[in-house]
Amino acid sequence: MLFAAHAALPPPGEPLAALWHALTALREFRGDGHVAALVTAGVDGCEANVVASALGLVPPEQRAYRGWTEEEWRAAADRLRERGGLDREGAVTEKGLRERDAVEAATERLARAPMDALGEAGVARLAHLLRPLVTRIIDGGGVPFPNAMAMPRP
């Protein structure tokens, strides 16, 4: 849904804005697939963020960033414990890790179409062209680690 909304917008005329628009659409394409993988696995958004928090992939403020109450966060953790994804102390169990890995693998499969369309050489060229920009953004503090998107350091 978010990809379709971005893709429906005309690209801006200014080159940097056009690049940002295209990369935003690409990010949302992956994000839409991630939501589909979570829904298919029976994991809601709060539960996914509780797991990411328990793994240290997101900042401690993630609950507040995403707008969940303490009660909603606790209830999500309780559901995960009931399904065996978290232990009593709130750590992710082996079962929880396997389930998260399965969601991530499904997300990656669903996100392949644009990369397949570019081909191996096109993906390598895109990465090469974007690396200096990404490095500058990260080095300038534009993306903190950990971050609310659970984006790993490149």
Side-chain angles (χ1 to χ4, degrees):
M1 297 295 283
L2 291 174
F3 167 74
H6 279 84
L9 295 171
E14 197 273 317
L16 183 58
L19 174 64
W20 194 264
H21 170 80
L23 293 174
T24 297
L26 186 59
R27 182 193 72 229
E28 295 303 350
F29 183 86
R30 185 188 187 286
D32 289 349
H34 188 59
V35 170
L38 287 167
V39 169
T40 300
V43 178
D44 69 34
C46 192
E47 292 167 353
N49 279 268
V50 168
V51 169
S53 181
L55 291 171
L57 300 173
V58 296
E61 303 84 9
Q62 186 75 352
R63 181 192 61 76
Y65 287 168
R66 297 299 173 132
W68 282 297
T69 65
E70 288 182 26
E71 182 179 283
E72 291 168 323
W73 196 260
R74 225 179 354 265
D78 288 345
R79 290 190 301 275
L80 289 162
R81 277 187 200 90
E82 289 169 13
R83 295 196 311 259
L86 290 182
D87 66 18
R88 279 187 258 176
E89 289 76 40
V92 180
T93 63
E94 287 298 319
K95 180 181 183 202
L97 286 173
R98 282 192 310 274
E99 290 174 353
R100 183 181 185 280
D101 288 348
V103 166
E104 293 301 321
T107 299
E108 292 304 315
R109 273 191 314 277
L110 293 169
R112 286 295 320 157
M115 301 303 111
D116 290 346
L118 286 175
E120 193 173 319
V123 170
R125 177 148 170 75
L126 178 63
H128 173 76
L129 292 170
L130 291 176
R131 189 163 286 114
L133 181 59
V134 169
T135 300
R136 195 163 178 194
I137 290 169
I138 290 171
D139 289 351
V143 178
F145 294 93
N147 54 67
M149 298 177 291
M151 184 179 81
R153 191 176 287 280

